Amino acid sequence: MTLGTLTCSGPLDTTSTIGVVFDALPEGCLPETVLELARIAEPVGACTTAVVGRLAASSAPLPDGFVSVSRFLQARARVSSGTAGRWMAAGRALTEDFEETQAAWLTGAVTGDQARAISEGVAVAVRSLPSGAKEACRAEGEAFLLDLAEHLGPDELRAAAKHLRFVLDPDGADADEIEAHTAQQLLFTRVGDGVEVCGFLTAEATALIQTALDQVVDGWYRRGELPEEDRDPEG
């Protein structure tokens, strides 16, 4: 089977990649095909990043006289200097400091974008901590964000990581950040059979709450629990 003869009746045959005719894909299969291809690509990206991280941290000799891993990747893998740098930085961070996140990416539990949001966000959150406290706080923050990753996308995870800083390193936040964080409030007032909600939140906290509410409403819709008058006629 090739993508050119794909139907919606079964999974992709990942070994058939030669002579693919994407234009022949039935339009009804395009959403599923995109998701399937993204799913296939994730383990490859995870393995590549992990091995690049090991290579960057090793003293293994490079072929053809290369002395720089970055230059080797640019020349032989034909990637930009930015991509080579991101592979090396992400690979070393995941291999050395975020092994649980790396394992989650390798097994498909999180995507590459989620893995980077977790590792980069936690690294910033613990950056100003004393060296003796960093490891424990890093592990705590990583575990917290990995739990959230089941329900949150990369952007929401980055927002959540920003709030970790106030929990893990409140002394490292500047005055403006602290003022914005402490000014947040939500008030719930019972009104008849409903509840009136008012308050103030940072943009990051708002994004988290909106995502959570969207997921709840989406669940109602999928289970047929959303009242007819509240449904979007356009889907």
Side-chain angles (χ1 to χ4, degrees):
M1 179 189 294
T2 69
L3 291 180
T5 59
L6 241 180
T7 68
C8 295
S9 60
L12 294 177
D13 178 0
T14 58
T15 63
S16 301
T17 57
I18 306 298
V20 173
V21 183
F22 289 100
D23 288 343
L25 278 169
E27 288 189 355
C29 291
L30 292 177
E32 292 181 15
T33 302
V34 168
L35 294 179
E36 186 72 5
L37 288 170
R39 183 192 64 78
I40 292 168
E42 285 297 335
V44 176
C47 292
T48 301
T49 303
V51 176
V52 168
R54 287 194 59 188
L55 177 62
S58 76
S59 56
L62 298 172
D64 300 327
F66 282 100
V67 295
S68 163
V69 173
S70 177
R71 289 295 303 154
F72 167 70
L73 293 173
Q74 291 174 59
R76 292 293 181 264
R78 292 183 287 183
V79 299
S80 68
S81 59
T83 296
R86 285 190 293 273
W87 278 356
M88 293 167 61
R92 294 193 69 161
L94 292 171
T95 300
E96 297 172 5
D97 297 324
F98 297 95
E99 293 182 356
E100 294 300 319
T101 300
Q102 179 173 261
W105 187 14
L106 286 167
T107 58
V110 302
T111 67
D113 285 346
Q114 287 178 307
R116 282 183 288 274
I118 292 170
S119 62
E120 293 171 4
V122 173
V124 171
V126 303
R127 182 172 53 196
S128 301
L129 290 175
S131 57
K134 277 187 178 181
E135 185 173 350
C137 288
R138 182 189 296 117
E140 180 182 349
E142 180 184 23
F144 174 71
L145 292 181
L146 280 173
D147 285 341
L148 291 181
E150 185 177 351
H151 307 288
L152 301 182
D155 291 339
E156 291 79 19
L157 283 173
R158 289 187 184 279
K162 289 183 179 179
H163 289 277
L164 273 179
R165 185 175 181 187
F166 297 100
V167 178
L168 300 178
D169 185 22
D171 294 333
D174 63 34
D176 289 338
E177 289 177 316
I178 292 173
E179 183 178 358
H181 184 74
T182 55
Q184 296 183 97
Q185 59 175 323
L186 275 181
L187 300 177
F188 298 87
T189 305
R190 192 68 179 265
V191 179
D193 293 333
V195 177
E196 180 183 274
V197 182
C198 63
F200 171 79
L201 296 172
T202 63
E204 291 85 0
T206 301
L208 289 173
I209 291 177
Q210 285 179 327
T211 298
L213 291 175
D214 286 345
Q215 289 171 344
V216 171
V217 174
D218 183 61
W220 290 344
Y221 187 86
R222 284 186 283 101
R223 295 191 298 270
E225 300 172 1
L226 194 65
E228 189 68 33
E229 61 270 19
D230 292 334
R231 299 186 183 186
D232 185 346
E234 297 182 359

